[in-house]
Amino acid sequence: MTQGRDTAAGAPEHSGAVVISVDAMGGDLGPSAVVDGIARAWRADPALRFVVHGRESELTPLIAQHGLAGICTLRHAEGVVTMHDKPAQVMRRGSDTSMWSTVESVRTHEAAVAVSCGNTGALMAVSMLRLRKLPGVNRPAIASFWPSFNASGWNVMLDMGADVKADAPDLLTYGLMGASYARNALGLERPRVGLMNVGTEEHKGNAELRAAHELLSAAQERGGYEFIGFVEGNDLPSERVDVIVTDGFTGNVALKTGEGTAKMASRLLKEALTSSWLAKLGALLAMAALKRLSARIDPRRANGGVFLGLNGTVVKSHGSADATGVAAALNLAARLARSGFAERLAARVASAVPAGQDAPSGEASNESAK
């Protein structure tokens, strides 16, 4: 890996700070949006410090422009993982890339969390290669927030596309990890976990889902969650569930369907409110309410899918994220780091997975699990 250089004479003071490793080169909008997001996140939380990875010639002036030299350490990495690169190629020949360098900082404990806007498949592949899976985890998962009517405003859904397959033990592990994520990210003491199916009746679904239903039900006390049984697609934004468990194929289709539906609704609403002078007048009178609605459904607020099941925390920002979206992902990363999420997740999975499912030799203490 290409050796890095700091933006100042020495690395910024990290004592007592949360250090986040940032891939500055992977997003669709380029490093300027990422550095702008870093500046916004730091202004909202001055205790943050950053290790920024990418091409020094591009990043040094951007960091200086925002006055971030004192809180950023720059690690030069010449290579860039594009959205068209195949994960296997990046695993074999990507050690000089900003993505690889970003994950490496978490592996060496230079930073607590990694954040990247880059290629999802490549990021998961590099993260699994460098960080390895937690004992008890067969398939890592991507967890994302879903807008809901709950008091927090969000539900957690996983897997959102890390792996299209998931058998019953995998779905149990997703439930354990999703509940831990909801506790630490949303402050829920005992999250309600539901399993996605084509109906809520216990006899619905295939044999794998019915087996997962039994496992999730049996593990709810050890896992510290309340299992509410099967949920359907119309429960995604509902207030009867906090964590929705499904395989990566279904989760990714649901995610893309939700994004497309939201865009369609926004476009139709805009067309309706500008269709006549009377409609425009009504829109003007309702401007305050429309702004509140827009802010609540703004997908940038929920930017940041978390890779669960690894020896370290990785946050995947949307590839098209602007500065606001990048800042949201960085703020999420900071919350997880401060909560000790990685350690709590490892303890929870180790203490609750069934014996024989790649279980660790020493059982973690339930007191440290959350």
Side-chain angles (χ1 to χ4, degrees), residues 29-118:
L29 302 182
S32 60
V34 176
V35 176
D36 191 1
I38 289 173
R40 296 187 185 202
W42 174 64
R43 286 196 294 268
D45 188 350
L48 297 182
R49 299 294 181 267
F50 305 92
V51 183
V52 185
H53 305 260
R55 292 171 180 162
E56 184 178 17
S57 59
E58 297 182 46
L59 294 175
T60 297
L62 290 172
I63 290 173
Q65 176 186 336
H66 287 278
L68 301 175
I71 54 99
C72 287
T73 299
L74 176 58
R75 297 283 179 241
H76 175 72
E78 187 64 29
V80 176
V81 177
T82 72
M83 295 299 179
H84 304 291
D85 288 334
K86 295 181 179 179
Q89 295 174 334
V90 177
M91 291 175 69
R92 290 194 300 268
R93 299 190 292 273
S95 60
D96 69 334
T97 63
S98 58
M99 179 181 288
W100 187 293
S101 182
T102 298
V103 175
E104 194 71 14
S105 283
V106 174
R107 189 187 71 83
T108 61
H109 305 292
E110 179 183 32
V113 188
V115 177
S116 174
C117 301

Side-chain angles (χ1 to χ4, degrees), residues 269 273 282-297:
L269 180 61
L273 293 175
L284 183 62
L285 294 174
M287 186 60 67
L290 290 172
K291 285 184 177 179
R292 288 194 299 270
L293 173 63
S294 178
R296 180 164 184 181
I297 64 175

Side-chain angles (χ1 to χ4, degrees), residues 135-138 167-173 176 215 352-360:
V137 174
N138 180 39
D167 56 22
D170 293 328
L171 293 171
L172 168 62
T173 305
L176 296 169
L215 292 176
V353 292
Q357 189 192 335
D358 193 24

Side-chain angles (χ1 to χ4, degrees), residues 260-281:
T261 302
K263 289 179 181 178
M264 180 180 180
S266 178
R267 179 175 173 180
L268 291 175
L269 180 61
K270 184 176 180 180
E271 290 177 356
L273 293 175
T274 58
S275 61
S276 67
W277 67 268
L278 192 58
K280 292 178 182 178
L281 177 60

